[in-house]
Amino acid sequence: MRTLAAATMLLTRVPVPSSAGGVDPARAAALYPLVGAGIGGVVGGIAVGAGELWPVLVVATLAVAAEVILTGALHLDGLADCADGLAGRDREHRLQIMKDHAIGVYAAATLSLHLLVKVAALAALLHALRPEEMLLLLVGVYATSRGAMLPLARLLPYARTDGTGRAVVEGLGTRQLLTGLVLVLVGSAATVAVDPGAALLVTLVAALTTLSIGLLAQRRIGGVTGDVLGACAELTVSAMLLAAVAVLA
């Protein structure tokens, strides 16, 4: 339970016992998909429940807002930093920009479009799916998105000499990676229950998105950072939702 609490602490703003801070972050990372499934359950539960009161566009906006509050916008911050930083002139300049908390025009545009895509995709899926299907789909999508960070952390070097993601990237072993991937498969079973073909497509899209982010990060900064991992979690969600809309809506 302490390990799960530690993973929850690293990915959300949910209060957990202080003892969770003593757990090895790399060990806790293996449970990221489980925490992701919980996030998806909350987002899906709000979407389904609020659907009894408001139109789908309002409901989708509330669901995305709930996710932002639940996660403390942690991964949105990583996406913003990457959007600004990866456009820098060289590796050191890119890393310097990514460390700066200021929001540039690339970050602002990326965040705005990313959130719009999420809202639009959720609204389309709310139109097309039954409540229980919506809930299962989001559980699977969010479990997969949090698990998508693990291959990048395991296979690529840490691009900085220090930083919040270093303990995970340098400490994650094959055992933790395999545990996380098994949990991703378990979470994906929820998507299979909605539509096996859609489950296969969204999983493939998640893998391709993760691979693309990894290749870009390796080329631009020589590895990954906590920001890159956060951006991966966010972009895989949007990519999977778009794939789900393509075949289910």
Side-chain angles (χ1 to χ4, degrees), residues 15 25 43 67 79 111 120 149 152 154-155 162 189 193 205:
V43 174
E67 181 195 350
L79 178 59
L111 289 179
M149 295 187 283
L152 296 185
R154 179 68 181 91
L155 299 175
D162 58 3
V205 166

Side-chain angles (χ1 to χ4, degrees), residues 95-184:
L95 288 171
Q96 181 182 357
I97 294 173
M98 290 169 69
K99 198 170 185 178
D100 190 343
H101 293 298
I103 295 291
V105 64
Y106 289 133
T110 298
L111 289 179
S112 299
L113 293 171
H114 174 71
L115 292 172
L116 281 172
V117 166
K118 272 190 176 181
V119 170
L122 287 177
L125 291 167
L126 282 165
H127 265 304
L129 300 178
R130 297 192 301 270
E132 63 273 17
E133 291 176 332
M134 188 70 184
L135 183 58
L136 287 171
L137 176 67
L138 292 182
V139 167
V141 163
Y142 279 85
T144 302
S145 73
R146 271 47 184 182
M149 295 187 283
L150 301 181
L152 296 185
R154 179 68 181 91
L155 299 175
L156 294 178
Y158 194 66
R160 297 184 185 279
T161 57
D162 58 3
T164 56
R166 182 177 180 181
V168 172
V169 173
E170 295 186 349
L172 191 72
T174 302
R175 181 178 179 181
Q176 287 81 23
L177 173 62
L178 292 177
T179 299
L181 293 179
V182 168
L183 289 175
V184 167

Side-chain angles (χ1 to χ4, degrees), residues 144-145 148 201-212 232 236 239-240:
T144 302
S145 73
L201 177 62
V202 298
T203 302
L204 178 61
V205 166
L208 290 175
T209 303
T210 302
L211 176 62
S212 299
C232 180
T236 49
M240 285 187 285

Side-chain angles (χ1 to χ4, degrees), residues 5 9 15-21:
M9 179 182 67
V16 297
S18 58
S19 60

